[in-house]
Amino acid sequence: MSSATGDTLSRHLALSARQAPDEAAFTFVDFDADRDGTSVELTWNELDRRVRTVAAGLRRAGAAGERVAIVAPQGHDYVIGFLGAVCAGAIAVPLFPPDLPGHGEKLAAALTDAAPSLAIAVPGQREAVADFCAGHGIASRLRVVSVEDLPQNAGTAGTEARTAREPQPEDCAYLQYTSGSTRMPAGVEITHANVCVNARQAMEAYDLRRGRNCSVSWLPLYHDMGLMLGIAMPVVGRMRSVIMDPLDFVQQPLRWLRLLTRYDGALTAAPNFAYDYCVRRVPPEARADLSLGSVAAMINGSEPVSPRTLERFHEAFAPSGIRRTIMRPSYGLAEATVFVAASPAGEEPTVTSFDRKLLAQGTARVAEPTENGSITELVACGRPTDQEVAIVDPATGRRQEDGTVGEIWLRGPNIG
């Protein structure tokens, strides 16, 4: 799949604001003030106007071509700050605030590596972010601002728009930092073309259409899948995005399922544990109010996807309308922007039994039903969409024959 001419997040956002100014674009559901959630909505026109204001302020602050870290909590300020940075021609660095428990060292490592000139926080956390950076010896030139600190003077708006260089498809849009679960976080350079084409690859794989589908997500926006599902795919596909805070899911997973009931045609995603968590934490009497028959797809992107989890979730929520074909085991990684492959649309997940001993030795042999004591069940993640995948011997760099274990190598327009 080749990238379209002028394929940038900035141009997709501007096009949506022109063609569908009053359509709902981003809805943040806040459970802090109301246990049932208070929805705060932005139309495409309102979003575009606020993003351009922030972008103009960032350009005046000299941020074009520089790194701009987003260290805000989940919500509209995060979306506006991220899009404002990429529309300004800066390189956004989607991160998280320093009060996220257990993530302080990862934040310090990413900020040290990225060396941003600006960090966007919410007003109440600017001082805490500045103190965090000072305490970790992060460059003193880093200036902490909020989207409210970047007002646009109406008298200079026209001049800014005429003289500012528009981001180009080949420009780096953002640095996606890997989780750092096995090593220190590393930033992957994602261009506008990378993210736009990967959004379309995902939309094709999950059979999503403008006007028919939306995204509903509690995944953190600093995570590669959370960013794609919550911001990039909605902007590129002009689909409504409904987001909530990850902690609100952890406290009451029923909130997520109620949003999937409320918004028809929803695409959503979660790691494997979250589906088991819903089975444990959502009692049968609470499931009676759910209507999940309109959900378009529920992505399970864990490594590995558990066949037992798929079965338990379906058994628990089939009375609420969940069909087996809605569960879509998928594979991706930050180096590929995020999305690589998904199980085929309209098909139930495929579970295959392999000989456990041979698998450990590098050979994938389908096990016979009589070999119950020595099998490993694996869930298929389907085929890639407009990407080339090779299974390779890392020592020789040669492709492996079918049925042989090796490294996954990828090639495509979405590779960062």
Side-chain angles (χ1 to χ4, degrees):
M1 178 184 290
S2 61
S3 63
T5 303
D7 208 4
T8 67
L9 290 173
S10 178
R11 287 171 186 167
H12 280 292
L13 177 58
L15 188 63
S16 293
R18 285 199 306 270
Q19 296 184 347
D22 299 324
E23 276 185 17
F26 283 80
T27 301
F28 176 62
V29 186
D30 185 359
F31 291 94
D32 278 349
D34 184 346
R35 56 184 292 180
D36 295 323
T38 300
S39 296
V40 184
E41 190 171 285
L42 288 175
T43 65
W44 286 111
N45 184 58
E46 289 168 337
L47 176 66
D48 183 67
R49 179 170 48 80
R50 293 186 64 180
V51 166
R52 303 299 166 183
T53 295
V54 169
L58 288 171
R59 283 194 294 266
R60 287 201 308 276
E66 296 287 325
R67 274 79 65 208
V68 175
I70 318 300
V71 289
Q74 198 99 330
H76 281 155
D77 277 5
Y78 202 107
V79 175
I80 293 164
F82 174 83
L83 290 174
V86 300
C87 290
I91 300 168
V93 186
L95 294 171
F96 41 86
D99 61 354
L100 188 65
H103 285 64
E105 290 308 312
K106 290 181 181 179
L107 177 60
L111 286 171
T112 300
D113 184 70
S117 61
L118 285 167
I120 296 178
V122 292
Q125 293 183 347
R126 279 177 305 192
E127 191 172 327
V129 172
D131 290 345
F132 176 88
C133 293
H136 285 80
I138 294 165
S140 58
R141 75 187 186 101
L142 176 61
R143 179 182 160 206
V144 182
V145 298
S146 72
V147 294
E148 287 82 358
D149 295 328
L150 298 163
Q152 169 68 355
N153 184 305
T156 63
T159 303
E160 288 276 359
R162 287 193 299 271
T163 60
R165 175 187 177 272
E166 272 290 307
Q168 300 301 305
E170 65 274 12
D171 290 345
C172 183
Y174 61 97
L175 297 180
Q176 180 64 64
Y177 274 82
T178 60
S179 62
S181 55
T182 57
R183 56 186 168 89
M184 291 302 288
V188 182
E189 297 179 17
I190 305 296
T191 67
H192 281 268
N194 289 152
V195 66
C196 291
V197 76
N198 200 228
R200 289 196 299 275
Q201 288 168 337
M203 290 178 66
E204 179 181 337
Y206 300 115
D207 190 25
L208 304 176
R209 297 291 182 271
R210 178 179 300 161
R212 185 184 73 187
N213 299 107
C214 66
S215 70
V216 173
S217 179
W218 57 265
L219 296 178
L221 293 172
Y222 61 82
H223 185 272
D224 52 3
M225 189 65 220
L227 185 67
M228 174 60 70
L229 186 62
I231 301 180
M233 201 185 304
V235 167
V236 173
R238 199 194 304 158
M239 296 190 309
R240 184 180 195 158
S241 173
V242 181
I243 55 178
M244 59 184 281
D245 192 278
L247 184 59
D248 290 329
F249 164 79
V250 172
Q251 290 173 341
Q252 291 190 39
L254 181 60
R255 292 165 168 166
W256 176 45
L257 301 178
R258 282 177 173 163
L259 290 180
L260 293 174
T261 296
R262 186 185 310 171
Y263 294 96
D264 289 344
L267 169 73
T268 194
N272 194 85
F273 84 84
Y275 294 105
D276 273 328
Y277 189 62
C278 286
V279 174
R280 293 197 312 270
R281 290 290 305 275
V282 180
E285 59 271 21
R287 299 171 195 167
D289 296 330
L290 297 174
S291 178
L292 301 172
S294 78
V295 175
M298 303 184 85
I299 300 169
N300 186 328
S302 288
E303 298 178 44
V305 175
S306 166
R308 301 288 178 270
T309 298
L310 299 178
E311 192 58 40
R312 282 191 292 264
F313 189 82
H314 178 262
E315 183 179 333
F317 294 100
S320 304
I322 282 293
R323 304 183 303 279
R324 291 184 188 274
T325 54
I326 294 306
M327 296 299 293
R328 304 288 300 277
S330 303
Y331 175 74
L333 66 168
E335 290 81 358
T337 304
V338 59
F339 173 78
V340 174
S343 61
E347 296 184 16
E348 295 183 14
T350 299
V351 180
T352 306
S353 298
F354 293 93
D355 183 299
R356 181 182 301 154
K357 291 182 180 178
L358 288 176
L359 196 62
Q361 296 167 9
T363 299
R365 183 179 72 80
V366 176
E368 299 299 326
T370 55
E371 302 177 59
N372 291 335
S374 60
I375 64 170
T376 294
E377 289 187 321
L378 299 180
V379 179
C381 290
R383 292 180 177 274
T385 299
D386 295 315
Q387 300 173 54
E388 182 183 0
V389 175
I391 306 301
V392 174
D393 181 342
T396 64
R398 293 178 180 173
R399 289 175 183 258
Q400 300 282 62
E401 295 181 4
D402 284 352
T404 307
V405 175
E407 281 189 350
I408 301 171
W409 286 17
L410 304 165
R411 176 161 57 199
N414 55 299
I415 305 300

